[in-house]
Amino acid sequence: MTPIIEVQQVNKAFGGLRVINDCSIQVAKGSITGMIGPNGAGKSTLFNLIAGALMPDSGRVLLEGEDITALSPDARFHKGLLRTFQIAHEFSHMSALENLMMVPPDQPGETLFTTWFKPGRVRAHDAEVRRRALEVIDFIGLYHVRNELAGNLSGGQKKLLELGRTMMTDAKVVLLDEIAAGVNRTLLGDLIGNIKRLNQEMGYTFLVIEHDMDMIAQLCDPVIVLAQGSVMMEGHIDDVQNNPEVIEAYFGGSAA
């Protein structure tokens, strides 16, 4: 399958500690690819290198064949590479709906000239953004709390809102960082369902870091296993969970 993300022989060290060690991965376009590994394997660092929060010491990151290694997170966002965070980054004093409406870039109301001299254009654009935000908040199952302050939402609802914010842009790839953390089982089912729908109905590609192995098993194929900053193996979750080296490194010597 055609790769949408390629990480090519990337290295990253902090002081004298090499965290990512000559690491190469590919994420196929249209896939939901999982990434697992023991604590300290380098998962979060590799995520940050792909998202642009960190720059590699060597190696390259490509998006649809384009070298984006030197681009800022903002520039990558404009190219359709988005990420969510383990701890939701909502605007707590704005409503859930307003949080979604904040996402689209380059809105005409952001410039003083357009606000003063082209108010009709601003109103029309705002109405379109609001219409889209209402569609998205209904899609993710939060319509009933659309006017609630985002800071008052439950942890699971905030994760759904994070996922919804990716839908307010022309996303190509979404990096999901521990999206199941702190989410109850009911809302986790909603999250999994929404991710599958975005993948199947809208063509989103996902790269998922997750400790919840049930979620990985339900969502991801293939699964990449990192250990000591390098790829240990890649394959279907059944093969991963039955690999003796993975069991030793990730499960502490036990498949339980």
Side-chain angles (χ1 to χ4, degrees):
M1 297 179 68
T2 303
I4 192 167
I5 291 178
E6 295 178 79
V7 175
Q8 298 179 343
Q9 295 179 298
V10 162
N11 290 279
K12 183 65 180 179
F14 299 98
L17 177 63
R18 179 172 289 188
V19 179
I20 301 297
N21 184 24
D22 198 32
C23 184
S24 297
I25 70 169
Q26 292 187 347
V27 176
K29 186 174 184 178
S31 71
I32 305 178
T33 298
M35 186 186 299
I36 66 171
N39 290 333
K43 302 184 299 296
S44 293
T45 300
L46 185 58
F47 237 46
N48 284 327
L49 290 166
I50 295 171
L54 294 172
M55 294 292 116
D57 299 327
S58 61
R60 302 196 303 165
V61 179
L62 279 65
L63 176 65
E64 293 188 309
E66 177 186 354
D67 190 339
I68 61 169
T69 310
L71 295 185
S72 67
D74 182 63
R76 297 182 199 209
F77 169 85
H78 284 276
K79 289 184 176 292
L81 176 60
L82 286 72
R83 72 169 298 175
T84 67
F85 294 87
Q86 183 175 352
I87 300 174
H89 285 50
E90 78 282 354
F91 296 103
S92 59
H93 297 295
M94 301 176 69
S95 72
L97 185 65
E98 289 168 338
N99 266 258
L100 296 182
M101 293 177 67
M102 285 287 292
V103 175
D106 303 323
Q107 298 193 45
E110 295 173 355
T111 65
L112 193 60
F113 177 86
T114 309
T115 302
W116 282 1
F117 296 105
K118 297 183 179 180
R121 179 184 171 194
V122 173
R123 286 194 297 270
H125 185 273
D126 287 351
E128 175 58 24
V129 170
R130 181 180 176 83
R131 182 197 63 78
R132 175 61 179 156
L134 286 168
E135 287 181 353
V136 168
I137 209 162
D138 184 52
F139 181 97
I140 60 178
L142 294 181
Y143 192 83
H144 62 295
V145 293
R146 63 192 181 281
N147 295 319
E148 183 66 59
L149 292 180
N152 294 338
L153 301 181
S154 70
Q157 289 172 330
K158 289 178 181 179
K159 294 294 181 72
L160 285 167
L161 189 62
E162 284 255 303
L163 190 63
R165 288 197 293 199
T166 71
M167 298 175 62
M168 294 297 296
T169 70
D170 295 324
K172 297 177 182 177
V173 186
V174 180
L175 310 179
L176 299 179
D177 187 359
E178 296 282 357
I179 198 167
V183 179
N184 67 46
R185 305 313 294 183
T186 299
L187 285 179
L188 182 57
D190 293 341
L191 271 173
I192 291 171
N194 281 322
I195 292 167
K196 286 182 176 179
R197 286 180 65 192
L198 287 172
N199 173 253
Q200 295 167 4
E201 297 175 18
M202 305 177 89
Y204 280 36
T205 300
F206 289 95
L207 178 60
V208 184
I209 288 181
E210 188 53 65
H211 283 296
D212 188 317
M213 296 305 296
D214 289 338
M215 183 175 181
I216 288 287
Q218 291 182 62
L219 270 181
C220 301
D221 188 19
V223 176
I224 299 168
V225 184
L226 287 189
Q228 298 180 339
S230 299
V231 176
M232 175 180 286
M233 74 165 291
E234 178 180 341
H236 188 272
I237 186 62
D238 292 338
D239 298 324
V240 167
Q241 290 181 313
N242 289 297
N243 183 289
E245 292 183 0
V246 174
I247 293 172
E248 180 63 31
Y250 189 81
F251 300 100
S254 170

Coordinates of all heavy atoms in Angstrom, one line a residue, residues 80-138:
G80 N -2.3 19.0 6.5 CA -3.2 17.9 6.8 C -2.7 16.9 7.8 O -3.3 15.8 8.0
L81 N -1.6 17.2 8.5 CA -1.1 16.3 9.6 C -1.4 16.9 10.9 O -0.9 17.9 11.3 CB 0.5 16.2 9.4 CG 1.2 15.4 10.5 CD1 0.7 13.9 10.5 CD2 2.7 15.4 10.3
L82 N -2.3 16.2 11.6 CA -2.8 16.7 12.9 C -2.5 15.7 14.0 O -2.3 14.5 13.8 CB -4.4 16.9 12.8 CG -4.9 18.1 12.1 CD1 -4.7 17.9 10.6 CD2 -6.4 18.3 12.4
R83 N -2.6 16.2 15.3 CA -2.4 15.3 16.4 C -3.4 15.6 17.5 O -3.8 16.7 17.6 CB -1.0 15.3 16.9 CG -0.6 16.6 17.7 CD 0.7 16.4 18.4 NE 0.7 15.4 19.4 CZ 1.7 15.0 20.1 NH1 2.9 15.5 19.9 NH2 1.7 14.1 21.0
T84 N -3.7 14.6 18.3 CA -4.4 14.8 19.6 C -3.4 14.5 20.7 O -2.3 14.0 20.4 CB -5.6 13.9 19.7 OG1 -5.2 12.5 19.8 CG2 -6.5 14.0 18.5
F85 N -3.8 14.9 21.9 CA -2.9 14.7 23.0 C -3.4 13.8 24.1 O -4.7 13.7 24.2 CB -2.6 16.1 23.6 CG -1.8 17.0 22.7 CD1 -2.5 17.8 21.8 CD2 -0.4 17.1 22.8 CE1 -1.8 18.7 21.0 CE2 0.3 17.9 21.9 CZ -0.4 18.7 21.0
Q86 N -2.5 13.2 24.9 CA -2.9 12.3 26.0 C -3.8 13.1 26.9 O -4.8 12.6 27.4 CB -1.7 11.8 26.7 CG -2.0 10.8 27.8 CD -0.8 10.1 28.4 OE1 0.3 10.3 27.9 NE2 -1.0 9.4 29.4
I87 N -3.5 14.3 27.2 CA -4.3 15.2 28.0 C -4.9 16.2 27.1 O -4.3 16.9 26.4 CB -3.4 16.0 29.1 CG1 -2.8 15.0 30.0 CG2 -4.3 16.9 29.9 CD1 -1.8 15.6 31.0
A88 N -6.3 16.2 27.1 CA -7.0 17.0 26.1 C -6.6 18.5 26.3 O -6.4 19.0 27.4 CB -8.5 16.9 26.3
H89 N -6.5 19.2 25.2 CA -6.1 20.6 25.1 C -7.3 21.5 24.7 O -7.2 22.3 23.8 CB -5.0 20.9 24.2 CG -3.6 20.4 24.7 ND1 -3.5 19.1 25.2 CD2 -2.4 21.0 24.7 CE1 -2.2 18.9 25.5 NE2 -1.6 20.1 25.3
E90 N -8.4 21.4 25.5 CA -9.6 22.2 25.1 C -9.4 23.6 25.6 O -8.6 23.9 26.5 CB -10.8 21.6 25.7 CG -11.1 21.8 27.2 CD -10.2 21.0 28.1 OE1 -9.5 20.1 27.6 OE2 -10.2 21.2 29.3
F91 N -10.2 24.5 25.0 CA -10.4 25.9 25.6 C -11.5 25.8 26.6 O -12.7 25.8 26.3 CB -10.7 26.9 24.5 CG -9.7 27.0 23.4 CD1 -9.8 26.4 22.2 CD2 -8.5 27.8 23.7 CE1 -8.8 26.6 21.2 CE2 -7.5 27.9 22.7 CZ -7.7 27.3 21.5
S92 N -11.1 25.7 27.9 CA -12.0 25.4 28.9 C -13.2 26.4 29.2 O -14.2 26.0 29.6 CB -11.3 25.1 30.2 OG -10.6 26.3 30.6
H93 N -12.9 27.7 28.9 CA -13.9 28.7 29.1 C -14.7 29.0 27.9 O -15.4 30.1 27.8 CB -13.2 30.0 29.6 CG -12.5 29.7 31.0 ND1 -13.3 29.4 32.1 CD2 -11.2 29.7 31.3 CE1 -12.4 29.3 33.1 NE2 -11.2 29.5 32.7
M94 N -14.6 28.2 26.9 CA -15.5 28.3 25.7 C -16.4 27.1 25.6 O -16.0 26.0 26.1 CB -14.6 28.4 24.4 CG -13.7 29.6 24.4 SD -12.6 29.7 23.0 CE -13.8 30.1 21.7
S95 N -17.5 27.2 24.9 CA -18.4 26.0 24.8 C -17.8 24.9 23.9 O -16.8 25.2 23.2 CB -19.7 26.5 24.2 OG -19.6 26.8 22.8
A96 N -18.3 23.8 24.0 CA -17.8 22.7 23.1 C -18.0 23.1 21.6 O -17.0 22.8 20.8 CB -18.6 21.4 23.4
L97 N -19.1 23.7 21.3 CA -19.3 24.1 19.9 C -18.3 25.2 19.5 O -17.7 25.1 18.4 CB -20.7 24.7 19.7 CG -21.1 25.0 18.3 CD1 -21.1 23.8 17.4 CD2 -22.5 25.7 18.3
E98 N -18.0 26.1 20.4 CA -17.0 27.2 20.1 C -15.6 26.6 19.9 O -14.8 27.1 19.1 CB -17.0 28.2 21.2 CG -18.3 29.1 21.1 CD -18.5 30.0 22.4 OE1 -17.9 29.6 23.4 OE2 -19.2 31.0 22.3
N99 N -15.3 25.5 20.7 CA -14.0 24.9 20.5 C -13.8 24.4 19.1 O -12.7 24.5 18.5 CB -13.9 23.7 21.5 CG -13.2 24.1 22.8 OD1 -12.0 23.9 23.0 ND2 -13.9 24.8 23.7
L100 N -14.9 23.8 18.5 CA -14.8 23.3 17.2 C -14.7 24.5 16.2 O -13.9 24.4 15.2 CB -16.0 22.5 16.8 CG -16.2 21.2 17.6 CD1 -17.4 20.4 17.1 CD2 -15.0 20.3 17.5
M101 N -15.4 25.6 16.4 CA -15.4 26.7 15.5 C -14.1 27.4 15.5 O -13.8 28.2 14.5 CB -16.5 27.7 15.9 CG -17.9 27.1 15.7 SD -19.3 28.2 16.2 CE -19.1 29.5 15.0
M102 N -13.2 27.2 16.5 CA -11.9 27.9 16.6 C -10.9 27.2 15.7 O -9.9 27.9 15.3 CB -11.4 27.8 18.0 CG -12.1 28.8 19.0 SD -11.6 30.5 18.7 CE -9.8 30.4 19.2
V103 N -11.2 26.0 15.2 CA -10.1 25.2 14.5 C -9.8 25.7 13.1 O -8.6 25.8 12.8 CB -10.5 23.7 14.5 CG1 -9.5 22.9 13.7 CG2 -10.6 23.2 16.0
P104 N -10.7 25.9 12.2 CA -10.3 26.2 10.8 C -9.4 27.4 10.7 O -9.6 28.4 11.4 CB -11.7 26.5 10.2 CG -12.7 25.8 11.0 CD -12.2 25.9 12.4
P105 N -8.3 27.2 10.0 CA -7.3 28.3 9.9 C -7.8 29.4 8.9 O -8.7 29.2 8.1 CB -6.1 27.6 9.3 CG -6.6 26.5 8.5 CD -7.9 26.0 9.2
D106 N -7.1 30.6 9.0 CA -7.3 31.7 8.1 C -8.7 32.1 7.9 O -9.2 32.4 6.8 CB -6.7 31.2 6.7 CG -5.3 30.8 6.8 OD1 -4.5 31.4 7.5 OD2 -4.9 29.9 6.0
Q107 N -9.4 32.3 9.1 CA -10.8 32.7 9.0 C -10.8 34.3 8.8 O -10.0 35.0 9.4 CB -11.5 32.4 10.3 CG -11.6 30.9 10.6 CD -12.5 30.5 11.7 OE1 -13.7 31.1 11.7 NE2 -12.1 29.6 12.5
P108 N -11.6 34.8 7.9 CA -11.6 36.2 7.6 C -11.8 37.1 8.8 O -11.3 38.2 8.8 CB -12.7 36.3 6.6 CG -13.6 35.1 6.7 CD -12.7 34.0 7.2
G109 N -12.5 36.6 9.8 CA -12.8 37.5 11.0 C -11.5 37.7 11.8 O -11.6 38.5 12.8
E110 N -10.4 37.0 11.5 CA -9.2 37.1 12.3 C -8.4 38.4 11.9 O -7.5 38.8 12.6 CB -8.3 35.9 12.1 CG -8.9 34.6 12.6 CD -8.1 33.4 12.3 OE1 -7.1 33.5 11.5 OE2 -8.4 32.3 12.7
T111 N -8.8 39.0 10.8 CA -8.1 40.2 10.3 C -9.0 41.5 10.5 O -10.2 41.4 10.2 CB -7.7 40.1 8.8 OG1 -8.9 40.1 8.0 CG2 -6.9 38.9 8.6
L112 N -8.4 42.5 11.1 CA -9.2 43.7 11.4 C -9.7 44.4 10.1 O -10.9 44.8 10.1 CB -8.2 44.7 12.1 CG -8.9 45.9 12.8 CD1 -9.9 45.5 13.8 CD2 -7.8 46.8 13.4
F113 N -9.0 44.3 9.0 CA -9.5 45.0 7.8 C -10.8 44.3 7.3 O -11.7 45.0 7.0 CB -8.4 44.8 6.7 CG -8.8 45.4 5.3 CD1 -8.7 46.7 5.0 CD2 -9.4 44.5 4.4 CE1 -9.1 47.2 3.8 CE2 -9.8 45.0 3.2 CZ -9.6 46.4 2.9
T114 N -10.8 43.0 7.3 CA -11.9 42.3 6.8 C -13.1 42.5 7.7 O -14.3 42.6 7.3 CB -11.6 40.7 6.6 OG1 -10.5 40.6 5.9 CG2 -12.8 40.0 5.9
T115 N -12.8 42.5 9.0 CA -13.9 42.7 10.0 C -14.6 44.0 9.8 O -15.8 44.2 9.9 CB -13.4 42.6 11.4 OG1 -12.7 41.3 11.6 CG2 -14.5 42.7 12.4
W116 N -13.8 45.1 9.5 CA -14.3 46.4 9.4 C -15.0 46.7 8.0 O -16.1 47.2 7.9 CB -13.2 47.4 9.6 CG -12.9 47.7 11.0 CD1 -13.4 47.1 12.1 CD2 -11.9 48.6 11.5 NE1 -12.9 47.6 13.3 CE2 -11.9 48.5 12.9 CE3 -11.0 49.5 10.9 CZ2 -11.1 49.3 13.7 CZ3 -10.2 50.3 11.7 CH2 -10.2 50.1 13.1
F117 N -14.3 46.2 7.0 CA -14.7 46.6 5.6 C -15.5 45.5 4.8 O -16.1 45.8 3.8 CB -13.5 47.0 4.8 CG -12.8 48.3 5.4 CD1 -11.6 48.2 6.1 CD2 -13.4 49.5 5.2 CE1 -11.0 49.3 6.6 CE2 -12.8 50.6 5.8 CZ -11.6 50.5 6.5
K118 N -15.4 44.3 5.3 CA -16.1 43.2 4.6 C -16.9 42.3 5.6 O -16.7 41.1 5.7 CB -15.2 42.3 3.8 CG -14.5 43.1 2.7 CD -13.6 42.1 1.9 CE -12.9 42.9 0.7 NZ -12.0 42.0 -0.1
P119 N -17.8 43.0 6.4 CA -18.5 42.3 7.5 C -19.4 41.2 6.9 O -19.6 40.1 7.6 CB -19.3 43.3 8.2 CG -19.4 44.4 7.2 CD -18.2 44.4 6.4
G120 N -20.0 41.4 5.7 CA -20.8 40.3 5.1 C -20.0 39.1 4.9 O -20.6 38.0 5.1
R121 N -18.8 39.2 4.4 CA -18.0 38.0 4.2 C -17.7 37.3 5.5 O -17.7 36.1 5.6 CB -16.7 38.4 3.5 CG -15.7 37.3 3.3 CD -14.4 37.8 2.7 NE -13.4 36.8 2.6 CZ -12.1 37.0 2.4 NH1 -11.7 38.2 2.3 NH2 -11.3 35.9 2.4
V122 N -17.4 38.1 6.5 CA -17.1 37.5 7.8 C -18.4 36.7 8.4 O -18.3 35.6 8.8 CB -16.7 38.5 8.9 CG1 -16.6 37.9 10.3 CG2 -15.4 39.2 8.4
R123 N -19.5 37.3 8.2 CA -20.8 36.7 8.7 C -21.1 35.4 7.9 O -21.4 34.4 8.5 CB -22.0 37.6 8.6 CG -22.0 38.8 9.7 CD -23.3 39.5 9.7 NE -23.6 40.1 8.4 CZ -23.3 41.4 8.2 NH1 -22.6 42.1 9.0 NH2 -23.6 41.9 7.0
A124 N -20.9 35.4 6.6 CA -21.1 34.2 5.8 C -20.2 33.1 6.2 O -20.6 31.9 6.3 CB -21.0 34.6 4.3
H125 N -18.9 33.5 6.4 CA -17.9 32.4 6.7 C -18.2 31.9 8.1 O -18.2 30.6 8.3 CB -16.5 33.0 6.7 CG -15.4 32.0 6.9 ND1 -15.0 31.6 8.2 CD2 -14.7 31.2 6.0 CE1 -14.1 30.7 8.1 NE2 -13.9 30.5 6.8
D126 N -18.6 32.7 9.1 CA -18.9 32.3 10.4 C -20.1 31.3 10.4 O -20.1 30.3 11.1 CB -19.1 33.4 11.3 CG -17.9 34.2 11.7 OD1 -16.8 33.7 11.4 OD2 -18.0 35.3 12.3
A127 N -21.1 31.7 9.6 CA -22.3 30.8 9.5 C -21.9 29.4 8.9 O -22.4 28.4 9.4 CB -23.3 31.5 8.6
E128 N -21.0 29.4 7.9 CA -20.6 28.1 7.4 C -19.8 27.3 8.4 O -20.0 26.1 8.5 CB -19.8 28.4 6.1 CG -19.2 27.1 5.5 CD -20.2 26.1 5.1 OE1 -21.4 26.4 4.9 OE2 -19.8 24.9 5.0
V129 N -18.9 28.0 9.1 CA -18.1 27.3 10.1 C -19.0 26.7 11.2 O -18.9 25.6 11.7 CB -17.1 28.2 10.8 CG1 -16.4 27.6 12.0 CG2 -16.0 28.5 9.7
R130 N -20.0 27.5 11.6 CA -21.0 27.0 12.6 C -21.8 25.8 12.1 O -22.0 24.9 12.9 CB -21.9 28.2 13.0 CG -22.9 27.8 14.1 CD -23.9 28.9 14.5 NE -24.9 28.5 15.4 CZ -24.7 28.4 16.8 NH1 -23.5 28.7 17.3 NH2 -25.7 28.0 17.5
R131 N -22.2 25.9 10.9 CA -22.9 24.8 10.3 C -22.1 23.5 10.3 O -22.6 22.4 10.7 CB -23.4 25.1 8.9 CG -24.2 24.0 8.2 CD -24.2 24.1 6.7 NE -22.9 24.0 6.1 CZ -22.2 22.8 5.9 NH1 -22.8 21.7 6.3 NH2 -21.0 22.8 5.4
R132 N -20.8 23.6 9.9 CA -19.9 22.5 9.9 C -19.7 22.0 11.3 O -19.7 20.8 11.6 CB -18.6 22.9 9.3 CG -17.5 21.8 9.3 CD -18.0 20.6 8.6 NE -16.9 19.5 8.6 CZ -17.2 18.2 8.5 NH1 -18.4 17.8 8.2 NH2 -16.2 17.4 8.5
A133 N -19.5 22.9 12.3 CA -19.3 22.5 13.7 C -20.5 21.7 14.3 O -20.3 20.8 15.0 CB -19.0 23.7 14.5
L134 N -21.7 22.2 13.9 CA -22.9 21.5 14.4 C -23.0 20.1 13.8 O -23.4 19.1 14.5 CB -24.1 22.3 14.0 CG -24.4 23.5 14.8 CD1 -25.5 24.4 14.2 CD2 -24.8 23.1 16.3
E135 N -22.6 19.9 12.5 CA -22.5 18.6 11.9 C -21.5 17.7 12.7 O -21.8 16.5 12.9 CB -22.1 18.7 10.4 CG -23.2 19.2 9.5 CD -22.7 19.3 8.1 OE1 -21.6 19.0 7.8 OE2 -23.6 19.6 7.2
V136 N -20.4 18.2 12.9 CA -19.3 17.5 13.6 C -19.7 17.1 15.0 O -19.5 15.9 15.4 CB -18.0 18.3 13.6 CG1 -16.9 17.6 14.5 CG2 -17.4 18.4 12.2
I137 N -20.2 18.0 15.8 CA -20.6 17.7 17.1 C -21.7 16.7 17.2 O -21.8 15.9 18.2 CB -20.9 19.0 17.9 CG1 -20.5 18.8 19.4 CG2 -22.3 19.4 17.8 CD1 -20.4 20.1 20.2
D138 N -22.6 16.7 16.2 CA -23.6 15.6 16.1 C -23.0 14.3 15.8 O -23.3 13.3 16.4 CB -24.6 16.0 15.1 CG -25.8 15.0 15.0 OD1 -26.4 14.7 16.1 OD2 -26.1 14.5 13.9

